[in-house]
Amino acid sequence: RESRELDLVVFGATGFTGTEVVKQLSRLGVVSRWAVGGRRHEALDALAKAWNVPGGTIVADVSDEEALKRMARSTRLVLNATGPYRFFGEAVVKACIEGGADYIDLCGEPEFMERMLLQYHDAAAEAGVVICHACAFDSVPADLGIWHCCQLFREAGGQCAHVEMFHSIEAPLGYSGHITTFQAAVHGVGSARDLSKVRKQLEEKYGKIPKGSDILGPLPKHAAAWFWEPRLGRYAVPFIGSDASVVRSSRRTVANILKTSDAETWMPQFGIYFTIQSKWSLFKMAAAGGCFQFLAAKGWGRNLLLRFPGFFTFGAFSEEGPSKEQMANNKWSGDLFAAGVVGGDRKELVLHAELHDPGYIGTSLLFVLVAQTILEDRGKFSARGGVFTPGAFFHLFQPSSILERLIAHGVEFKVVRSDL
């Protein structure tokens, strides 16, 4: 594939997130041969001109199979930024496998990711094509953060048994996510039955996901759905994003599909949470979350949510997305509290990471760095191809390579406290 015209194509480049990906590629300069793709020729031309895209534009639409395959044959890697993936993702995955191009996306939709694993892993492996989902804020920090906890325990001669991860957001000017993100979440909840069917089929094909380490027993349970987290001085609730699904999917791939011999030693029991500063914010989240879950489970309710996203989310999502000021003034913090055993003794470890504007600027940075790693280090990958999530892909590949690139761009899982 080294002889192909392009190293990568950003597909869906004129969308809200796709445009941020283009900006990051232009700013970082980590790839010299790249193009932008999508269905709107004039918008693509304007974007390519504004950000000095060296490879120009490629017009393709998810409804045009041949155009997608031509795009895939022209490049080594496709960065798919076109969502919701439930509706627009499969055609691109299929075209990349048939066209021999590796593929990554920003997906946070468990049903889509697990359905692609079920339907396309064998074909991708046979074709020698990597399909890797969730390669941005969904869910690089969680999947690789937990993996890094395990790595540090192993380096100390021990094993990680428990990890609790807490997401926190600081947005002093408020924040309004783009409608596409909300649409994906609405349809994700609406596809719960489909997801259950896919998971049953995955179990039948590959077996159950291992439960993980039992050297410290089960992960301690919290007394209620929300709780005060004294280590952070904030309230916490279970995180409803795709992180937990992605971590479990990585475990299925490593243990059951690729049959890595020591897989379970990399599988601490884990919990992932979102933190809130005040009881008032907790109340608003609970009210909006309860309403969302109720409505998204019904067809008429989904229609209401999609027509009035701002109303049902207290302004958390809109057609316009966040303002430039909001994007410039928000930050994600991730705290991982890990426990395990070293030399027969219980030991603990705390990691902390930060990312500017995780929704768009930060997520596009992560996406581009994953792309750079695949392009530059592809030859180190020990499997021929297949469908992956970040933890599984980099576990077989060289996890330190992506971690080093993240550190170089200010995203580091720093050790805050350790008695290893």
Side-chain angles (χ1 to χ4, degrees), residues 24 28 30 134-148 151 165 332 336 351-356 361-374 376-377 390-391 394 398-414:
Q24 287 286 6
L28 297 178
V30 295
C135 291
F137 185 66
D138 290 324
S139 289
V140 167
D143 215 6
L144 294 190
I146 292 173
W147 181 92
H148 192 44
Q151 179 189 39
M165 181 173 187
W332 165 83
L336 295 98
L351 302 183
H352 178 82
E354 295 181 355
L355 181 67
H356 171 62
I361 297 173
T363 213
S364 62
L365 172 64
L366 297 177
F367 200 35
V368 168
L369 294 179
V370 170
Q372 179 191 10
T373 303
I374 291 175
E376 294 182 359
D377 298 345
F394 287 110
Q398 187 57 39
S400 61
S401 63
I402 181 64
L403 292 175
E404 288 166 2
R405 288 184 174 91
L406 292 174
I407 292 169
H409 290 85
V411 185
E412 180 180 3
F413 292 99
K414 296 180 180 178

Side-chain angles (χ1 to χ4, degrees), residues 206 315 359:
Y206 297 119

Side-chain angles (χ1 to χ4, degrees), residues 85 103-109 112-113 131-144 242-243 245-247 250 363 366-367 370 388-391 394:
Y85 292 92
Y103 164 107
I104 61 175
D105 63 34
L106 303 134
C107 186
E109 304 168 40
F112 171 75
M113 293 185 279
I131 306 294
C132 194
H133 303 297
C135 291
F137 185 66
D138 290 324
S139 289
V140 167
D143 215 6
L144 294 190
S242 62
D243 285 354
S245 294
V246 169
V247 172
S250 289
T363 213
L366 297 177
F367 200 35
V370 170
F388 302 93
T389 39
F394 287 110

Side-chain angles (χ1 to χ4, degrees), residues 91-111:
V92 187
V93 168
K94 186 172 182 288
C96 285
I97 293 171
E98 294 179 2
D102 291 334
Y103 164 107
I104 61 175
D105 63 34
L106 303 134
C107 186
E109 304 168 40
E111 189 275 336

Side-chain angles (χ1 to χ4, degrees), residues 5 23 42 86 113 129-130 170 191 209 212 217 229 240 253 269 302 358 368 385 389:
E5 178 186 354
K23 292 176 182 178
E42 291 183 0
R86 175 176 174 80
M113 293 185 279
V129 168
V130 166
E170 294 180 20
S191 67
I209 300 172
E229 176 47 64
I240 62 171
T253 301
Q269 297 189 37
R302 289 192 291 275
V368 168
T389 39

Side-chain angles (χ1 to χ4, degrees), residues 97-343:
I97 293 171
E98 294 179 2
D102 291 334
Y103 164 107
I104 61 175
D105 63 34
L106 303 134
C107 186
E109 304 168 40
E111 189 275 336
F112 171 75
M113 293 185 279
E114 295 182 36
R115 178 161 50 88
M116 293 302 97
L117 174 63
L118 178 68
Q119 295 180 357
Y120 291 101
H121 177 78
D122 295 340
E126 178 62 27
V129 168
V130 166
I131 306 294
C132 194
H133 303 297
C135 291
F137 185 66
D138 290 324
S139 289
V140 167
D143 215 6
L144 294 190
I146 292 173
W147 181 92
H148 192 44
C149 289
C150 295
Q151 179 189 39
L152 293 174
F153 268 91
R154 288 172 70 94
E155 289 174 355
Q159 183 178 333
C160 185
H162 296 162
V163 178
E164 288 188 300
M165 181 173 187
F166 294 87
H167 294 289
S168 303
I169 299 290
E170 294 180 20
L173 301 183
Y175 203 81
S176 180
H178 192 262
I179 186 65
T180 303
T181 306
F182 184 68
Q183 290 170 343
V186 170
H187 291 297
V189 173
S191 67
R193 290 185 180 179
D194 294 334
L195 178 57
S196 294
K197 291 177 183 177
V198 168
R199 286 178 172 169
K200 183 177 180 181
Q201 291 175 290
L202 283 168
E203 277 195 9
E204 291 171 352
K205 185 173 183 179
Y206 297 119
K208 291 186 175 183
I209 300 172
K211 292 182 179 180
S213 174
D214 61 359
I215 56 173
L216 287 180
L219 189 72
K221 293 183 178 180
H222 297 282
W226 61 271
F227 57 94
W228 176 254
E229 176 47 64
R231 293 171 294 188
L232 297 173
R234 297 169 69 96
Y235 294 97
V237 296
F239 183 59
I240 62 171
S242 62
D243 285 354
S245 294
V246 169
V247 172
R248 286 192 291 266
S249 188
S250 289
R251 293 179 174 193
R252 174 191 287 114
T253 301
V254 171
N256 298 0
I257 300 176
L258 301 172
K259 301 186 184 302
T260 305
S261 59
D262 62 347
E264 289 204 46
T265 65
W266 292 90
M267 297 182 184
Q269 297 189 37
F270 71 95
I272 302 177
Y273 307 93
F274 184 79
T275 75
I276 304 121
Q277 185 66 50
S278 69
K279 282 190 176 181
W280 172 239
S281 296
L282 181 65
F283 170 77
K284 288 198 297 182
M285 174 176 282
C291 181
F292 177 86
Q293 292 286 342
F294 174 77
L295 292 175
K298 300 167 173 49
W300 61 267
R302 289 192 291 275
N303 289 334
L304 269 179
L305 288 169
L306 295 173
R307 284 183 64 191
F308 307 106
F311 175 79
F312 286 107
T313 64
F314 296 104
F317 291 93
S318 68
E319 292 278 357
E320 298 79 19
S323 67
K324 291 181 180 179
E325 292 76 18
Q326 288 176 331
M327 292 171 72
N329 289 277
N330 81 97
K331 181 183 71 174
W332 165 83
S333 297
D335 295 278
L336 295 98
F337 297 89
V341 174
V342 178

